[in-house]
Amino acid sequence: MSSTTTLQKEGNPTGNTGEGQPSDGLKAGLKNRHLSMIAIGGVIGAGLFVGSGGGIAKAGPAILISYALVGAMVVFVMRMLGEMAAASPNSGSFSAYADRALGRWAGFSIGWLYWFFWVVVLAVEATAGAAILESWIPAVPQWGWALIVMAVLTVTNLGSVASYGEFEFWFAGIKVVAIGAFVIVGMLAVFGLLPGSDNPGEGFAHLTDAGGFFPNGYGAVLTGVLMVVFSFMGSEIVTLAAGESENPRKAVTRATNSVIWRIGVFYLGSIFIVLTLLPWNDKSITEKGSYVAALDSIGIAHAGTIMEVIVLTAVLSCLNSGLYTASRMAFSLGERGDAPKAFAKVNKNGVPVAAILGSTVFGFVAVYFNYAFKDTVFNFLLNSSGAIALFVWLVICFTQLKMRGILVREAPEKLTVKMWLFPWLTWATAALIMFVIGYMFVDDANREVVTLSTLVAGVVVLVGVVLDFRRKRALQG
């Protein structure tokens, strides 16, 4: 068997060679502009807009180091994933690669855990979006708005992959323009160059004038890491979507190469602006939110409403991508025999209808739990999925360590994207992720999340190992 054939059969079940139409029934309906915006928008979640104020309050200006550390970790993980995805574009992405490199149990486990994470996210984001919509139109109850936005985006995903791409193109576009404008306007205000600004423009003084750069000690940087790490989840979506693009290999390469400036501008750049416009301990940062407080300090009218629109856009983007991501992972699992076979079937438009509806149903159930059993069942779902992002990144590290050898041996010409300083930087990234997971166990605010997530992951891995064992026995028999 030739090296290319081996990779297509075992490492790339879709048989997508990186150009043209996928051979698994999915259609190459995503254009280059869709993939570009999915790649950019994937790193801008609602958590950036909503959760950054809490991190600033805990770590002060040193939160920039927290964002830089997590950002570097994500850049390295994306580089590893980009290496594998450019060589073998696949709708199952890291789950399919883990299947090939670590064993069927690994692909099964991380695939289902990732699916679980995103269907819980659907409920969280639907509720967040519903809260904003209810404040605008209170005649419709919050649960009604949650069901409406879920239903609308389900219909969008059922239409065609191009429909998903078009919605995400505009959702991501709004987020990108908003952050870009915030950084530019904010930078002018920081140096007193913005006409009509209410902010005196202190330059970089606020980075040290309220207790220094580390006002709460060096340890606050680690606390900040735990608070910001989950806002980065979603950067890997582009590698799943690439399998349905016109030129997967080119799209993945471009997305991987651009991840550094995306994180630098959108995360570090925007948080830097907040910290230079206001002292880190300004109460408005936690009361109004970091971005609203910064805009208010400049004198931007209706800053709160503007930010609500942007947050709603981010929520809808996350919902749209979450449903797409969960359905494509379910599709890949079905294709490999690790989920119901119906999940691997597509309609005439190349859409995996059963996989989308299966993910949506669980999402609707989670929404119901959020309203009926918020402090019990839904709290368990939320906490038990909270650390899965870190588990996914860790599996990507170990998978890439094995896949590099497979690619070098079987298809070296496909190594168009390479992880830097291999294998040392891969091991260092894995060690950093394991350190963060370990630190969560000793942190009071995160202990329950990482404990429940580990227990759920342990159960899923056990199921995967048992199924893998039975499958091997059946083949031997």
Side-chain angles (χ1 to χ4, degrees), residues 210-240:
F213 192 76
F214 297 92
N216 295 326
Y218 297 106
V221 172
L222 292 178
T223 303
V225 165
L226 298 187
M227 296 185 74
V228 307
V229 67
F230 303 108
S231 63
F232 282 83
M233 191 64 174
S235 55
E236 69 290 330
I237 291 175
V238 67
T239 62
L240 282 82

Side-chain angles (χ1 to χ4, degrees), residues 157-191:
N157 275 266
L158 286 173
S160 68
V161 68
S163 299
Y164 156 72
E166 199 62 34
F167 269 74
E168 191 55 27
F169 176 82
W170 291 105
F171 286 150
I174 292 171
K175 292 189 294 184
V176 169
V177 169
I179 290 288
F182 177 81
V183 170
I184 293 171
V185 171
M187 187 61 72
L188 291 173
V190 165
F191 293 105

Side-chain angles (χ1 to χ4, degrees), residues 153 276 326:
L153 292 175
T276 48

Side-chain angles (χ1 to χ4, degrees), residues 201-473:
E202 300 289 344
F204 301 140
H206 289 319
L207 293 176
T208 56
D209 64 2
F213 192 76
F214 297 92
N216 295 326
Y218 297 106
V221 172
L222 292 178
T223 303
V225 165
L226 298 187
M227 296 185 74
V228 307
V229 67
F230 303 108
S231 63
F232 282 83
M233 191 64 174
S235 55
E236 69 290 330
I237 291 175
V238 67
T239 62
L240 282 82
E244 295 176 80
S245 68
E246 297 169 338
N247 192 329
R249 188 164 291 124
K250 182 179 179 181
V252 168
T253 302
R254 182 182 299 165
T256 302
N257 291 337
S258 66
V259 70
I260 297 176
W261 74 258
R262 286 186 274 132
I263 288 175
V265 171
F266 298 131
Y267 279 87
L268 288 173
S270 62
I271 298 300
F272 177 81
I273 293 299
V274 172
L275 290 166
T276 48
L277 284 175
L278 292 166
W280 70 272
N281 56 357
D282 190 302
K283 291 182 179 179
S284 65
I285 292 177
T286 51
E287 291 174 354
K288 299 178 181 179
S290 54
Y291 292 86
V292 174
L295 291 174
D296 276 345
S297 78
I298 297 173
I300 302 295
H302 310 294
T305 303
I306 293 171
M307 193 51 59
E308 277 190 340
V309 173
I310 296 170
V311 170
L312 180 61
T313 302
V315 164
L316 294 177
S317 172
C318 190
L319 266 172
N320 193 38
S321 290
L323 183 54
Y324 172 83
T325 304
S327 66
R328 281 354 183 236
M329 186 57 74
F331 169 82
S332 179
L333 288 166
E335 196 181 34
R336 287 177 274 144
D338 290 331
K341 291 182 179 179
F343 283 2
K345 294 181 180 179
V346 299
N347 63 12
K348 62 181 181 180
N349 294 324
V351 175
V353 175
I356 292 174
L357 293 178
S359 302
T360 302
V361 167
F362 195 95
F364 275 119
V365 170
V367 169
Y368 169 74
F369 284 150
N370 192 20
Y371 289 101
F373 307 102
K374 184 178 181 65
D375 297 327
T376 53
V377 179
F378 188 75
N379 188 55
F380 170 79
L381 292 176
L382 196 61
N383 287 331
S384 61
S385 63
I388 286 176
L390 292 167
F391 299 161
V392 167
W393 295 342
L394 189 60
V395 168
I396 289 172
C397 292
F398 291 131
T399 300
Q400 191 261 339
L401 285 168
K402 291 291 294 291
M403 278 298 293
R404 169 64 74 88
I406 294 172
L407 288 168
V408 168
R409 185 171 64 251
E410 299 185 357
E413 72 281 359
K414 291 190 174 184
L415 275 171
T416 55
V417 176
K418 290 185 178 182
M419 175 58 180
W420 306 296
L421 300 176
F422 178 84
W424 310 113
L425 195 52
T426 300
W427 278 113
T429 305
L432 178 58
I433 296 171
M434 286 189 286
F435 174 79
V436 173
I437 293 172
Y439 189 70
M440 288 179 73
F441 277 105
V442 299
D443 182 72
D444 292 338
N446 289 279
R447 187 178 298 112
E448 183 180 5
V449 171
V450 71
T451 301
L452 288 176
S453 295
T454 302
L455 288 174
V456 169
V459 171
V460 176
V461 168
L462 180 61
V463 172
V465 170
V466 170
L467 290 176
D468 199 18
F469 177 74
R470 288 182 176 178
R471 192 180 292 116
K472 289 177 180 178
R473 283 192 59 181

